[in-house]
Amino acid sequence: MTRSATILLTALAPVSWGTTYAVTTEFLPADRPLFTGLVRALPAGLTLLAVARVLPKGAWWWKATVLGALNIGAFFPLLFLSAYRLPGGMAAVVGSVGPLLVVGLSALLLGERPTARSVVTGVVAAFGVSLVVLKAAGALDLVGVLAAFASAASMSAGTVLTKRWGRPAGVGPLALTGWQLTAGGLLIAPLALLVEGAPPALDGRAVGGYLYLALVNTAVSYWLWFRGIGRLSATQVTLLGPLSPLTAAIVGWAALGQALTPVQLAGMAVAFGATVAGQLGQREAPTAGRSFRRGAAGRHARSVTGGRPTSCTGPC
């Protein structure tokens, strides 16, 4: 498969995540973000496990648990918390530092030297996202800000570690995705029960919404995301994240009747331009399937969401 086709397929993941807010507000029970996160992650993970029919072995039991915690189990609750405690769009703005965190972590863990292009495009993309999603200012909540930053840091660390560890020989991205979603869902389950209590009653619309989130928005989208991490650089993949809030804004305008101001349109152009620029001049990474090891020269060889957040960058 060509590099361009890989980028386009990977980009479908954040585009799908951009529909999460509309589905949540129009189809799902109100104020049940953790239950929604659980229903998204665990059934999707179990479905992928049933299809792949491969379980972790040896060290991959703890590796899959760590990745599931970072990419799903910690990311979802932190994202929900930040979305509820911060004024409109602020959680997405704080979360848009994710590409810059990935640049730094890639230098530390993957030996990828930061480039001026990756840093500049990350900053410009964050600026564009802020123009799209940032609403009238309100009092900032310290807990909300810390939760938003922690959610971005959690997903960034999970992305880089997914790249560093690769996959066991003979294991495809479908199984790796299933491991992570299952582990993340199992971590969310007790938290959802403790915080939100028993599951709510569901009507036909809610069942349809949850089926979409679990199968298309989570199982397929996260498979495309982790597949992309195996074939592209971690920085290149994470710079596709701004497509999520941009899609959310477009869906809100087209399906929910939300107006788009000239400033928002300008922000969309800036963020999209930065996303495209982040894909230029990048080399396609080796296909995952081997873990990274540090060579003699010191370099590495190849190796939500629920609730009602206004929008987000990266997986949500």
Side-chain angles (χ1 to χ4, degrees):
M1 179 175 292
T2 66
R3 174 175 168 274
S4 296
T6 299
I7 292 172
L8 290 175
L9 283 175
T10 306
L12 291 177
V15 168
S16 173
W17 294 326
T19 67
T20 302
Y21 175 67
V23 173
T24 299
T25 56
E26 297 301 309
F27 293 91
L28 305 186
D31 303 324
R32 302 303 295 265
L34 293 175
F35 175 76
T36 297
L38 171 62
V39 173
R40 285 185 64 190
L42 191 55
L46 293 175
T47 299
L48 294 184
L49 287 182
V51 173
R53 296 187 177 184
V54 178
L55 291 177
K57 294 181 180 179
W60 271 98
W61 280 105
W62 69 263
K63 287 183 178 180
T65 301
V66 170
L67 294 177
L70 291 172
N71 290 322
I72 308 294
F75 174 73
F76 277 5
L78 289 168
L79 181 67
F80 304 152
L81 178 61
S82 67
Y84 275 109
R85 298 185 70 106
L86 293 177
M90 181 58 71
V93 174
V94 177
S96 65
V97 303
L100 298 177
L101 294 176
V102 168
V103 170
L105 289 172
S106 294
L108 180 65
L109 298 177
L110 304 180
E112 296 180 1
R113 181 180 301 175
T115 65
R117 178 192 293 272
S118 61
V119 174
V120 171
T121 51
V123 171
V124 172
F127 174 70
V129 168
S130 70
L131 294 181
V132 175
V133 304
L134 200 56
K135 303 294 191 299
L140 291 183
D141 180 271
L142 179 59
V143 173
V145 172
L146 292 176
F149 182 81
S151 69
S154 177
M155 190 65 200
S156 298
T159 297
V160 174
L161 283 178
T162 299
K163 185 68 180 177
R164 176 180 172 87
W165 287 339
R167 301 191 304 270
V171 174
L174 196 70
L176 181 65
T177 304
W179 298 349
Q180 295 188 53
L181 288 172
T182 301
L186 290 174
L187 291 172
I188 294 174
L191 182 62
L193 183 62
L194 179 64
V195 174
E196 297 178 352
L202 303 178
D203 58 17
R205 287 174 58 85
V207 171
Y210 279 127
L211 283 175
Y212 168 78
L213 290 182
L215 297 178
V216 177
N217 192 265
T218 303
V220 174
S221 295
Y222 271 92
W223 168 65
L224 290 172
W225 185 256
F226 292 129
R227 176 182 177 277
I229 292 174
R231 295 169 179 260
L232 305 168
S233 73
T235 300
Q236 191 175 4
V237 171
T238 197
L239 281 170
L240 294 171
L243 292 175
S244 180
L246 297 188
T247 302
I250 293 172
V251 171
W253 167 74
L256 304 181
Q258 298 172 353
L260 289 174
T261 67
V263 171
Q264 286 178 301
L265 292 174
M268 292 173 69
V270 170
F272 184 76
T275 299
V276 173
Q279 309 309 309
L280 301 177
Q282 299 272 1
R283 296 180 179 177
E284 186 167 356
T287 302
R290 291 166 294 277
S291 298
F292 283 81
R293 293 290 184 267
R294 187 173 295 275
R299 300 182 64 182
H300 290 287
R302 61 183 186 177
S303 40
V304 333
T305 65
R308 300 177 185 274
T310 54
S311 58
C312 63
T313 57
C316 66

